Amino acid sequence: MSQGPNQQAAARPRPEHTPAPIRAVYRLRARPEEAERLAEKIAFEQTVELPPALVTDAEIRERVVARVESVDPDPASGEHFLARLAYPQHLASGQLSQLLNLLYGNVSILPDIRLMDVALPDSLLHAFRGPTHGIQGVRGMLGVFDRPLLATALKPRGLPDEKLAEMAGAFARGGGDIVKDDQNLVSADFEDFKHRVRACFEAVERANQATGRRCLYFPHLSAPAGELQRRMDYLQWLGVSGVLACPMVLGLDTARALIQARGMVYMAHPALTGSYTGSFEQGIDHGVLLGTLFRLGGADISVFPNFGGRFSFTRDQCRSIRRRLRGHLGQLAPALPCPAGGMRFENLADMCADYGSDAVFLIGASLLGYSDDLQDSTRAFQERIREHFDERLETPLERAAPDPDAAARKAGRLLEHLAFRDGFTWEGRDIQPYKIGGSLSHKGSRRIELVGQHGERTDFDLRYFEIAPGGHTSLEKHLHTHVIIGARGQGRLTSGDRDLTVRPMDVAYVPPLRTHQLSNPGEEPFGFFCIVDHERDRPMTP
Amino acid sequence: MSQGPNQQAAARPRPEHTPAPIRAVYRLRARPEEAERLAEKIAFEQTVELPPALVTDAEIRERVVARVESVDPDPASGEHFLARLAYPQHLASGQLSQLLNLLYGNVSILPDIRLMDVALPDSLLHAFRGPTHGIQGVRGMLGVFDRPLLATALKPRGLPDEKLAEMAGAFARGGGDIVKDDQNLVSADFEDFKHRVRACFEAVERANQATGRRCLYFPHLSAPAGELQRRMDYLQWLGVSGVLACPMVLGLDTARALIQARGMVYMAHPALTGSYTGSFEQGIDHGVLLGTLFRLGGADISVFPNFGGRFSFTRDQCRSIRRRLRGHLGQLAPALPCPAGGMRFENLADMCADYGSDAVFLIGASLLGYSDDLQDSTRAFQERIREHFDERLETPLERAAPDPDAAARKAGRLLEHLAFRDGFTWEGRDIQPYKIGGSLSHKGSRRIELVGQHGERTDFDLRYFEIAPGGHTSLEKHLHTHVIIGARGQGRLTSGDRDLTVRPMDVAYVPPLRTHQLSNPGEEPFGFFCIVDHERDRPMTP
């Protein structure tokens, strides 16, 4: 059935109540007499992108243009104003990319406007999955529940893989929790990537076997866009349970989709974010970007430059980030703040006091420079952290790396052998009703989903269809293609203006958007295998 | 054969000569005595991410750490310095994402550092395809060679699809060249997207038939990451020849890969870029981001806020962008600068003089507000532009929208019906040699690629294999799965520790990473269909 152009949003009945708006607060540098006008400019620029004089339609003014709810002097600065705008919720289209665009896309280019806060209604938050694991999930994988986690980065780039692996192993043996690639550790070549990642992963796993604890290794996911999935395939096969990725480099929603599809832990790196957060007069507030938006984008752990380090974040900015990562945000799981830099052995106690238990301390150079032995250094830092918390060590939980086949296998549907039985049926597979066109006879018409719908990891589905004498399938077309193998009797494939006879073992291909139909003009059942892409569009009537 | 961990970069012979470096210029706000130190900080931060004291390995210092080539007072500002750094070329890993990360990833978070210029060696530029169509390609599609192109945007969001389509049609009938969606035109629902885009596309096509000219319609590509390919499928089927996309929202390399794979014209929108370009003290230079980096990212047309408009770009910034889009950049095709805003009927002459012929003038509100009739307004603006150029109108070229099946169909390999012949062969398909293990007999062993390798648009390949008595396939495993359908005789599938007998019409599934082998212990040929994912990894020895 077509689900085509006849259905459109405009024709749908409008709901009686107006859904809650998206609220955003912008800081404006403006003279008092100009602040209101600038707020109005944002309201039009970010929605209709037209000057008010050209927006004459009352309904568009009501349903599309943002509403300026208030413009007040900024209590923190005499030169600035805080403007509060309400955007109709539907403008976000339930999409993270569009939300980003809506909140700051074009006004990023207007001077003197900074996005300071955002409040999303629950009905919109339901469109976002947020962190897959969150704080409790990551803790569960490690079996560590009552203290901050200790993490480090593998560097510098240029070290042989074996050296990096040695570092990873030493950190794990010393009791470290998470070891990640430096974000500069990028391999041009897939095979080099595999070698490096595998060496580090196995070094950590060996250490885990020796210590009986669990340390996680997160490789950096970076590759040409077309190769990202293949690298994720490899990481998943290897058993890696998380990755480091740079959302502002890969794209906020792109990184989310890549990592969420694998069920991995997502550690987000702040590369490029300084362009957004760095200027007082423009950009996006530290907490909104590295807290709210990264959490919406699925980050389980958000790395940011700690106060007191080589970067410029203040203690308040860091607090704002962690509040937004850990605080209430609809149904989204809380995420772990991960301050990096500025942490030395000497100030670990302060850090513990400031961040509390639910944080990851990412310590690179200070840990490497603490002693010549990374294992000893790690142990010392970890003990220093433990002094401040009652660690309740638990048995590391069952390995969390997902086995995509497990659920289906458990349910008994994923079978590796489907024995063929008399009468064209298969052991372990049910015959399903199949809506066959043709008024005369449905007798003997059947559809059997052989492979692809039972949890198998294939990019295609294999089905068996049988059409009784006089029957036919519906006349339709779609973007996806069909491959047909004749199995029983003979039938007709009408494909565009051609009629093809399909006999057992004949193979036929139906190209994209070709109108087609299968029919059985004969006296015997006509059976055929049909292979289709697993991900496919809905058929349309021609 | 395994291509696994035994091959690694470190073991490869190093080339004798050092490849040319990537050169970058940063503007630093620093006191004179601190400028050198800040430049060194960048050199370490962006490469080894360690303080100099911890980088003791001479080879890493030589091969990985960037070299500060010079630090000079900025002639344009007493408070600033220009630091010139040379990065070893290999650090970009031939990848756009990593190049972005290398040039500005972490230092984005350091205050007072702005990336002002970048020079890439030809040997690195060869890794980038750049604009697919470039200036000449876009001109060829339009048949317009000697004047700037006139473009507009469909808005506001909230108009019914029919109204938007009407606008698109009027602009095309008035002689406009490119009509694009406003970047706020985003549909939550795929069916709504289809309806809107199709209505606009068809309105433009009808107008083209009436005028005999060619106007191009570029929909905005925005969707949850997992749905982008499906939307591109639809656009390609519809015959759309280009899209508008926001590279800083989708990810610079993600947008490139999505659009280049379809051979479409790529019009890049500057949403969010103001965060990079807007502050004098930090971020990325206008020309580097909207010119060089967008062109590396495949943009055929780069939209940016024109000087004199509602945004804040200066005439010099606009000049810098267009110089980097149109000027020499290795083997990359030049791209079209597309100033937007600030263009009115009255200053079109100035714009023509300033930008010259190779530009796209994107005119929204001024065009809509010029008269009540968009067709008339378009005609007036277009005539105004023509007054300044000798337009050499050519017959619009053959429709450029790619037909993915055409090449294969031409070559005669894409067949829609493969009749089965005696002896298990198929009409139109050759038998290929197949390396079968087992010393005794290769007689009768064969592989036939039925579907998937001849240009068909499937996510899977269908092959027929036949193993002679006594023969077997190699023992192997891989991430991709197999689905097998018995066709002739019977054979054995060894899958992990199970031995399965495969008879005609039996179906078998080999899960990921399962070690497996097919063999024929019988007296008759054993033939089977094998379905695999089209995109798959290489087999490994167990």
Side-chain angles (χ1 to χ4, degrees):
Chain A
M1 280 296 297
S2 168
Q3 293 288 332
N6 297 325
Q7 303 181 348
Q8 62 152 312
R12 285 184 191 151
R14 204 165 303 140
E16 285 300 301
H17 70 285
T18 307
I22 299 165
R23 291 204 160 82
V25 177
Y26 298 90
R27 181 165 63 204
L28 317 177
R29 182 169 62 181
R31 285 193 295 270
E33 65 275 19
E34 284 176 351
E36 289 270 2
R37 204 190 47 82
L38 185 51
E40 280 295 329
K41 193 170 172 181
I42 299 172
F44 280 81
E45 182 67 45
Q46 292 298 90
T47 57
V48 288
E49 213 181 319
L50 282 174
L54 287 181
V55 187
T56 49
D57 183 323
E59 199 186 324
I60 287 179
R61 284 219 166 214
E62 176 63 30
R63 295 195 63 237
V64 180
V65 177
R67 199 168 60 253
V68 178
E69 297 191 318
S70 63
V71 182
D72 299 306
D74 181 354
S77 158
E79 284 187 316
H80 294 81
F81 287 82
L82 295 176
R84 186 184 165 95
L85 271 74
Y87 290 102
Q89 187 188 134
H90 70 93
L91 294 184
S93 305
Q95 299 171 12
L96 189 54
S97 290
Q98 172 57 10
L99 178 65
L100 207 58
N101 192 16
L102 177 70
L103 292 172
Y104 202 62
N106 263 20
V107 294
S108 79
I109 313 172
L110 285 172
D112 302 332
I113 300 170
R114 183 173 169 96
L115 176 63
M116 295 302 292
D117 200 358
V118 60
L120 305 170
D122 280 353
S123 46
L124 177 61
L125 284 170
H126 275 289
F128 300 107
R129 200 167 106 187
T132 301
H133 300 274
I135 296 178
Q136 285 313 307
V138 174
R139 286 198 176 286
M141 285 184 184
L142 291 161
V144 175
F145 296 90
D146 285 344
R147 59 162 172 82
L149 305 174
L150 178 61
T152 197
L154 294 178
K155 52 188 172 185
R157 179 163 173 163
L159 281 186
D161 296 351
E162 290 64 29
K163 280 278 182 200
L164 294 169
E166 222 172 80
M167 287 176 65
F171 178 77
R173 282 194 309 277
D177 299 302
I178 296 170
V179 51
K180 70 160 188 79
D181 284 351
D182 187 43
Q183 91 285 354
N184 273 318
L185 274 192
V186 172
S187 303
D189 184 83
F190 188 41
E191 300 303 323
D192 294 344
F193 170 79
K194 282 158 75 173
H195 183 266
R196 173 169 58 75
V197 165
R198 184 171 188 155
C200 295
F201 176 76
E202 290 180 347
V204 170
E205 291 298 303
R206 275 194 305 275
N208 287 343
Q209 279 162 21
T211 61
R213 297 178 50 88
R214 192 83 205 284
C215 175
L216 302 176
Y217 165 57
F218 294 166
H220 178 208
L221 178 65
S222 178
E227 204 179 290
L228 289 167
Q229 290 288 8
R230 202 148 64 93
R231 295 205 181 187
M232 286 298 271
D233 280 344
Y234 179 75
L235 295 181
Q236 190 158 40
W237 167 70
L238 192 59
V240 156
S241 52
V243 293
L244 176 82
C246 303
M248 299 320 278
V249 175
L250 296 180
L252 189 62
D253 200 49
T254 304
R256 176 199 63 74
L258 268 168
I259 301 169
Q260 281 188 340
R262 311 292 176 145
M264 290 188 190
V265 175
Y266 175 10
M267 187 178 210
H269 187 277
L272 292 187
T273 60
S275 305
Y276 295 85
T277 60
S279 162
F280 188 81
E281 305 298 355
Q282 64 150 46
I284 302 179
D285 171 74
H286 300 73
V288 171
L289 182 62
L290 294 156
T292 309
L293 291 172
F294 276 25
R295 186 168 162 198
L296 282 172
D300 296 294
I301 303 171
S302 176
V303 179
F304 56 88
N306 193 27
F307 61 91
R310 65 193 191 280
F311 297 98
S312 56
F313 282 24
T314 66
R315 187 185 284 246
D316 276 352
Q317 286 161 354
C318 293
R319 279 192 181 139
S320 158
I321 295 167
R322 77 173 188 245
R323 186 168 47 82
R324 288 167 183 274
L325 289 170
R326 302 195 299 211
H328 177 77
L329 186 65
Q331 85 292 1
L332 275 66
L336 283 159
C338 180
M343 279 170 292
R344 300 173 309 283
F345 188 80
E346 296 74 29
N347 69 359
L348 268 181
D350 291 343
M351 292 299 139
C352 289
D354 202 84
Y355 281 96
S357 168
D358 283 335
V360 180
F361 293 161
L362 177 56
I363 307 184
S366 302
L367 192 66
L368 287 177
Y370 184 71
S371 81
D372 284 344
D373 185 321
L374 180 58
Q375 183 175 341
D376 288 347
S377 301
T378 305
R379 191 175 299 116
F381 274 64
Q382 195 66 286
E383 276 166 14
R384 188 89 178 123
I385 292 173
R386 281 200 195 114
E387 286 169 14
H388 297 274
F389 296 89
D390 298 325
E391 185 174 12
R392 174 168 52 94
L393 262 179
E394 312 213 343
T395 320
L397 298 188
E398 271 283 298
R399 183 61 177 286
D403 173 359
D405 293 343
R409 205 182 296 119
K410 222 170 188 172
R413 297 187 304 128
L414 197 163
L415 298 171
E416 296 181 19
H417 189 222
L418 308 171
F420 179 64
R421 295 186 303 205
D422 284 349
F424 276 81
T425 60
W426 282 263
E427 214 171 297
R429 289 288 178 257
D430 298 329
I431 299 171
Q432 289 168 33
Y434 179 60
K435 183 181 55 66
I436 298 262
S439 54
L440 271 181
S441 166
H442 286 225
K443 212 180 63 183
S445 298
R446 58 175 63 157
R447 174 171 66 97
I448 302 177
E449 294 286 346
L450 293 165
V451 180
Q453 292 291 327
H454 309 278
E456 299 90 349
R457 287 190 66 196
T458 54
D459 287 350
F460 54 86
D461 292 352
L462 172 65
R463 302 95 50 88
Y464 173 76
F465 289 91
E466 202 171 285
I467 305 177
H472 59 79
T473 64
S474 55
L475 185 73
E476 63 185 36
K477 64 178 183 177
H478 32 66
L479 280 168
H480 66 270
T481 57
H482 281 317
V483 170
I484 286 162
I485 310 174
R488 176 185 196 180
Q490 74 177 49
R492 184 198 297 142
L493 166 62
T494 306
S495 179
D497 51 12
R498 289 176 72 186
D499 271 339
L500 303 167
T501 300
V502 177
R503 298 185 178 82
M505 298 296 154
D506 278 2
V507 174
Y509 169 68
V510 182
L513 273 311
R514 173 72 59 80
T515 300
H516 62 279
Q517 184 172 43
L518 285 134
S519 54
N520 184 355
E523 306 288 320
E524 299 296 320
F526 166 43
F528 55 92
F529 294 100
C530 176
I531 320 170
V532 291
D533 295 345
H534 185 71
E535 297 290 342
R536 55 188 186 266
D537 60 323
R538 280 175 291 187
M540 301 177 261
T541 46
Chain B
M1 281 294 294
S2 168
Q3 295 287 331
N6 298 325
Q7 304 181 348
Q8 62 151 313
R12 287 184 189 151
R14 203 164 305 139
E16 286 300 302
H17 69 285
T18 307
I22 299 165
R23 291 203 160 82
V25 177
Y26 298 92
R27 180 166 63 205
L28 317 177
R29 183 169 62 180
R31 286 193 295 269
E33 65 275 18
E34 284 176 351
E36 290 270 1
R37 204 190 47 82
L38 186 51
E40 280 295 330
K41 193 170 172 181
I42 299 172
F44 280 80
E45 182 68 44
Q46 292 299 88
T47 57
V48 288
E49 214 182 318
L50 281 174
L54 287 181
V55 187
T56 49
D57 183 322
E59 198 184 325
I60 288 180
R61 284 218 166 217
E62 175 62 31
R63 294 195 64 236
V64 181
V65 177
R67 198 167 62 253
V68 178
E69 296 192 317
S70 64
V71 182
D72 299 304
D74 181 355
S77 158
E79 284 188 315
H80 294 82
F81 287 81
L82 294 176
R84 186 184 164 97
L85 272 74
Y87 290 101
Q89 188 188 132
H90 70 94
L91 293 184
S93 306
Q95 299 171 12
L96 189 54
S97 290
Q98 172 57 10
L99 179 66
L100 207 57
N101 192 14
L102 177 70
L103 291 172
Y104 202 62
N106 264 18
V107 294
S108 80
I109 313 172
L110 285 171
D112 302 332
I113 300 170
R114 183 173 169 95
L115 175 64
M116 295 301 292
D117 200 358
V118 60
L120 304 171
D122 280 353
S123 47
L124 177 61
L125 284 169
H126 275 289
F128 300 106
R129 200 167 106 186
T132 301
H133 300 274
I135 296 178
Q136 284 313 308
V138 174
R139 287 197 176 285
M141 284 183 184
L142 291 161
V144 175
F145 296 89
D146 284 345
R147 58 162 173 82
L149 305 174
L150 179 61
T152 198
L154 295 178
K155 53 187 171 186
R157 179 163 173 166
L159 282 186
D161 295 351
E162 290 63 31
K163 280 279 181 197
L164 295 169
E166 223 172 79
M167 286 176 66
F171 177 77
R173 283 194 308 278
D177 299 302
I178 296 170
V179 52
K180 70 162 189 78
D181 284 350
D182 187 43
Q183 91 286 355
N184 273 319
L185 274 192
V186 172
S187 303
D189 183 82
F190 188 40
E191 300 304 323
D192 293 344
F193 170 79
K194 283 158 74 172
H195 182 266
R196 174 170 57 77
V197 165
R198 184 172 187 154
C200 296
F201 176 75
E202 289 180 347
V204 171
E205 291 297 303
R206 276 194 304 274
N208 287 342
Q209 280 163 21
T211 61
R213 299 178 49 88
R214 193 84 206 286
C215 175
L216 303 176
Y217 165 57
F218 294 167
H220 177 208
L221 179 65
S222 179
E227 203 178 292
L228 289 167
Q229 290 288 9
R230 202 148 65 94
R231 295 206 180 186
M232 286 297 271
D233 280 346
Y234 179 76
L235 296 181
Q236 190 158 40
W237 167 69
L238 193 59
V240 156
S241 52
V243 294
L244 176 82
C246 303
M248 300 321 277
V249 175
L250 296 181
L252 189 61
D253 199 49
T254 303
R256 175 200 62 74
L258 269 167
I259 302 169
Q260 282 188 340
R262 312 291 176 143
M264 289 188 190
V265 176
Y266 174 12
M267 188 178 209
H269 188 278
L272 293 186
T273 60
S275 305
Y276 295 86
T277 59
S279 162
F280 188 81
E281 305 298 354
Q282 63 150 44
I284 302 179
D285 171 74
H286 300 74
V288 171
L289 182 62
L290 295 156
T292 309
L293 291 172
F294 276 25
R295 186 168 162 198
L296 283 172
D300 297 295
I301 303 171
S302 175
V303 179
F304 56 89
N306 194 26
F307 61 92
R310 65 193 191 281
F311 297 98
S312 57
F313 283 24
T314 66
R315 187 185 284 246
D316 276 351
Q317 287 161 353
C318 294
R319 279 192 181 139
S320 158
I321 296 168
R322 74 170 189 246
R323 186 168 47 81
R324 288 168 183 274
L325 289 170
R326 301 195 300 212
H328 178 77
L329 185 65
Q331 86 293 1
L332 275 67
L336 284 158
C338 181
M343 280 170 292
R344 300 172 309 282
F345 187 80
E346 297 74 28
N347 70 359
L348 268 181
D350 291 343
M351 293 300 140
C352 289
D354 202 84
Y355 282 96
S357 167
D358 283 334
V360 180
F361 294 161
L362 177 56
I363 308 184
S366 303
L367 192 66
L368 286 177
Y370 185 71
S371 81
D372 286 343
D373 185 321
L374 181 58
Q375 183 175 340
D376 288 347
S377 301
T378 305
R379 189 175 300 117
F381 273 65
Q382 194 65 286
E383 277 167 13
R384 187 89 178 124
I385 292 173
R386 282 199 194 115
E387 286 169 13
H388 298 273
F389 296 90
D390 299 324
E391 185 173 12
R392 174 168 52 93
L393 262 178
E394 311 213 344
T395 321
L397 299 188
E398 272 283 299
R399 184 62 177 285
D403 173 357
D405 292 344
R409 205 182 297 118
K410 221 171 189 170
R413 297 187 304 128
L414 198 163
L415 298 172
E416 296 181 18
H417 189 223
L418 308 171
F420 180 63
R421 294 186 303 205
D422 285 348
F424 276 80
T425 60
W426 282 264
E427 213 171 294
R429 289 288 177 258
D430 298 330
I431 299 170
Q432 290 168 33
Y434 179 59
K435 182 181 56 64
I436 299 263
S439 55
L440 271 183
S441 167
H442 286 227
K443 213 179 64 181
S445 298
R446 57 176 64 157
R447 174 171 66 96
I448 303 176
E449 293 285 347
L450 292 166
V451 181
Q453 292 291 327
H454 309 278
E456 299 91 349
R457 288 190 66 195
T458 55
D459 287 349
F460 54 87
D461 293 351
L462 172 65
R463 301 94 51 89
Y464 173 76
F465 289 90
E466 202 170 286
I467 305 176
H472 58 79
T473 64
S474 56
L475 185 73
E476 63 185 36
K477 64 178 183 177
H478 32 66
L479 280 168
H480 66 270
T481 57
H482 281 318
V483 170
I484 286 162
I485 311 173
R488 176 184 196 180
Q490 73 177 51
R492 185 198 295 142
L493 166 61
T494 306
S495 178
D497 51 12
R498 290 177 72 187
D499 271 339
L500 304 167
T501 300
V502 177
R503 297 185 179 84
M505 297 296 154
D506 278 3
V507 174
Y509 169 66
V510 181
L513 273 311
R514 174 71 59 80
T515 300
H516 61 279
Q517 185 172 43
L518 285 135
S519 54
N520 184 354
E523 306 288 319
E524 299 298 318
F526 166 42
F528 56 90
F529 295 100
C530 177
I531 320 171
V532 291
D533 294 346
H534 185 70
E535 298 290 342
R536 55 186 185 267
D537 61 322
R538 279 175 291 185
M540 301 177 262
T541 47

